[in-house]
Amino acid sequence: MKAIEKSPTLANLILDLSYSHNPKIQNMSLALQSLICLSKLNLNFSFCPGIDQNILKSLAQGLENLTTLTSLKLNFTQCSFIDVKNLFEKFIDKEGLFDLSKSLKNLTSLQVFEFALTHQYVKFGFPSFFEALTHLTNLSKLVLNFSQSKDIQDEDLKLIAESLEKLQNLESLELDLRFSLQITDLGLRDLASCLGTLHSLKFLNLNIFGCNNITQEGVDFLKSQLAQLECLKEKNLNFPNAISSSGFMRERPQMEADKSTCSLI
């Protein structure tokens, strides 16, 4: 980290801390604060045991003044651990996500934001996170991975939709909600209605495989909304093994890839 502190003009930084049992995030926070010219930042904490509120708060302090950032990638895939001694499973908590969200509000120059937080209980951290996203109006690419999150419900998809509606410069959107078992057609309709308003969108990747409370009716409504997007050049939709409204079960996951032309007036 000392080497980073001595490079204040650094423009691009990639740090892979995956599988680290004791990531020195406090030191990294101080180092990040010195990078006044940083444009692109990629931090990988996947499979890091011990990521907790204090660590996320320290990371947030390092991020909040990086106002020159145009690209930010944060990977917290499976950042949970099991304390065998206490038989207690600990997850990134709502307060940690809240601290991170406060920092995001300052990064209004971001054009690319990729965020992965999987296998977590994140429900109570969602409002602050998605409210923060509404401040990032310059985003052209957004990637969100919440696959196998433990408690995402329809009301959370509504939060996602409300934040996306503010991002009218989005050209590329990837949303991974695999195995979010509590999502139904109601939540999908809220999301689909929002997607139908993103008229700058050129690429969409939506993965709802394993969301088995979504039916054919919900999928059909999604398709109808996407059909309104004249500039959508490519869409990849991964559907669940859903029971359709007529009562039939699909035999295998449905992947739909479609490419169309963009007509500009």
Side-chain angles (χ1 to χ4, degrees), residues 5 9 59 61 80 92 105 111 114 118 128 135 137 195-196 200 226 251 263-264:
E5 293 180 32
T9 60
L59 174 61
Q61 291 172 346
S80 61
I92 290 177
K105 290 183 180 182
Q111 298 173 20
E114 300 185 12
T118 68
S128 60
H135 294 259
T137 55
L195 293 177
S200 296
L226 295 181
E251 294 182 355
S263 61
L264 295 176

Side-chain angles (χ1 to χ4, degrees), residues 32-33 39 67-69 75 105 110 131 138 140 142 150 170 179 181-182 185 189-190 195 199 218 236 247:
L32 289 177
Q33 292 178 41
S39 175
T67 56
T68 58
L69 277 182
N75 187 350
K105 290 183 180 182
L110 279 182
E131 195 279 328
N138 287 314
S140 61
L142 177 62
K150 310 293 183 178
L170 269 187
F179 296 101
L181 301 178
Q182 300 185 60
D185 286 350
R189 288 180 70 90
D190 284 331
L195 293 177
H199 295 292
N236 300 313

Side-chain angles (χ1 to χ4, degrees), residues 43-97:
L43 301 177
N44 183 7
F45 301 104
S46 58
F47 299 94
C48 267
I51 296 289
D52 59 15
Q53 175 187 345
N54 292 328
I55 289 178
L56 282 183
K57 184 174 183 178
S58 179
L59 174 61
Q61 291 172 346
L63 291 175
E64 62 184 355
N65 294 320
L66 298 181
T67 56
T68 58
L69 277 182
T70 59
S71 176
L72 175 62
K73 301 178 182 180
L74 299 174
N75 187 350
F76 296 102
T77 297
Q78 286 195 247
C79 283
S80 61
F81 70 94
I82 297 178
D83 185 339
V84 178
K85 181 178 180 180
N86 296 312
L87 296 180
F88 178 75
E89 191 168 12
K90 183 175 182 180
F91 297 84
I92 290 177
D93 61 18
K94 62 179 180 180
E95 295 300 329
L97 196 56

